[in-house]
């Protein structure tokens, strides 16, 4: 049974200087570069579940850094959903400037002209997946960058599930399935809920996150882990 892959991330390693990780294989030995040459946004950890990636990342104050500019020649472009948990950032996309505060959420497609500037230390979590995988789940994203409505970000269970997942995989290695499928469905649900909000059709979105959901998810993941170990 395929299991999750854990990869440390360093802001001193450029994404283009390593083996493609989307196939579920570890990176080649890091090519350490000075910040003046190349800089990746943030330091943290990436977990890969059959190409669906979860990232927990912290960034110190920094001048604008290009992000998600690399498109994999093997797997094509990807879509990342980003939740800002702490701090404040400014995002420049195609010449337009956007300000994000804690609780904000946005999406970005790889290969776009986007940079991020952090005026203070910030923390974010991201879920990224191949664009064609999201399309297979019924979501065809036409724009390359966008912010989710604040109410959509708050009520979507994707963030709660992701934080619970990070707690578990920080200690245990999980099977890639059904985790990859669950993450894909939750990302798709976030887009559907945001579309419903923008058209005032709120009833078609997912249920509002309920108290205790995070602990319920964590318990379910641990149960999944125990069942896999027993098998």
């Amino acid at each position: 049974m395929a299991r999750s892959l854990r990869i440390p991330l360093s802001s001193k390693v450029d994404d283009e200087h390593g083996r493609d990780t989307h196939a579920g294989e570890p990176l080649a030995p890091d090519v350490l570069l000075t910040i003046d040459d190349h800089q990746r946004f943030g330091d943290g950890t990436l977990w890969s579940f059959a190409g669906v990636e979860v990232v927990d990342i912290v960034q110190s104050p920094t001048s604008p850094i290009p992000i998600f500019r690399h498109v994999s020649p093997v797997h094509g472009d990807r879509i990342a959903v980003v939740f800002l948990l702490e701090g404040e950032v400014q995002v420049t996309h195609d010449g337009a400037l956007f300000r994000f505060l804690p609780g904000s959420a946005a999406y970005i497609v790889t290969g776009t002209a986007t940079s991020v500037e952090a005026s203070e230390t910030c923390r974010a979590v991201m879920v990224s997946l191949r664009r064609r995988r999201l399309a297979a789940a019924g979501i065809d994203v036409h724009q390359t960058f966008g912010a989710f409505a604040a109410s959509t970000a708050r009520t979507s269970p994707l963030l709660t599930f992701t934080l619970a997942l990070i707690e578990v995989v920080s200690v245990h290695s999980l099977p890639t399935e059904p985790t990859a499928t669950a993450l894909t469905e939750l990302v798709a649900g976030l887009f559907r809920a945001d579309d419903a909000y923008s058209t005032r059709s709120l009833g078609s979105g997912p249920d509002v996150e309920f108290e205790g959901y995070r602990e319920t998810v964590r318990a379910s993941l641990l149960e999944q882990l125990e069942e896999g170990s027993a098998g």
Side-chain angles (χ1 to χ4, degrees):
M1 177 184 295
R3 304 189 73 83
S4 58
L5 171 70
R6 178 175 179 168
I7 302 171
L9 299 179
S10 170
S11 60
K12 295 183 179 181
V13 180
D14 182 37
D15 287 334
E16 298 179 62
H17 290 265
R19 187 187 310 163
D20 193 313
T21 65
H22 304 154
E25 296 181 0
L27 286 171
D30 289 343
V31 179
L32 296 179
L33 302 167
T34 65
I35 293 178
D36 291 334
D37 292 328
H38 295 281
Q39 187 171 17
R40 185 213 302 270
F41 184 80
D43 298 276
T45 306
L46 177 151
W47 294 270
S48 180
F49 302 87
V52 180
E53 297 176 349
V54 172
V55 178
D56 186 6
I57 203 160
V58 174
Q59 173 63 54
S60 300
T62 181
S63 56
I65 304 171
I67 59 172
F68 297 115
R69 65 187 180 277
H70 179 50
V71 178
S72 164
V74 177
H75 301 289
D77 54 358
R78 299 173 64 83
I79 293 177
V81 172
V82 184
F83 292 93
L84 183 63
L85 304 183
E86 302 170 10
E88 176 182 333
V89 299
Q90 291 189 100
V91 177
T92 302
H93 177 77
D94 286 344
L97 185 64
F98 303 86
R99 181 186 179 206
F100 289 92
L101 300 174
S104 303
Y107 68 88
I108 182 173
V109 178
T110 52
T112 58
T114 306
S115 64
V116 174
E117 179 179 3
S119 58
E120 56 188 314
T121 300
C122 60
R123 181 192 173 200
V125 296
M126 293 177 270
V127 179
S128 76
L129 65 168
R130 300 168 196 168
R131 195 168 187 170
R132 63 174 180 264
R133 179 172 185 132
L134 190 57
I139 302 298
D140 188 8
V141 180
H142 299 286
Q143 304 298 320
T144 56
F145 174 83
F148 294 102
S151 61
T152 303
R154 287 196 303 267
T155 59
S156 171
L158 174 60
L159 176 60
T160 303
F161 181 91
T162 302
L163 290 174
L165 177 64
I166 288 172
E167 286 185 22
V168 175
V169 295
S170 294
V171 180
H172 308 283
S173 175
L174 289 176
T176 57
E177 291 292 357
T179 309
T181 297
L183 286 167
T184 301
E185 292 175 350
L186 288 169
V187 171
L190 176 60
F191 277 95
R192 291 192 188 99
D194 198 58
D195 181 64
Y197 175 86
S198 65
T199 58
R200 305 301 180 188
S201 178
L202 295 175
S204 61
D207 293 336
V208 173
E209 174 186 335
F210 56 90
E211 185 177 357
Y213 176 68
R214 179 171 172 177
E215 184 57 34
T216 300
V217 170
R218 184 176 181 278
S220 176
L221 291 168
L222 289 172
E223 181 179 349
Q224 174 187 328
L225 176 67
E226 292 175 0
E227 290 175 354
S229 299

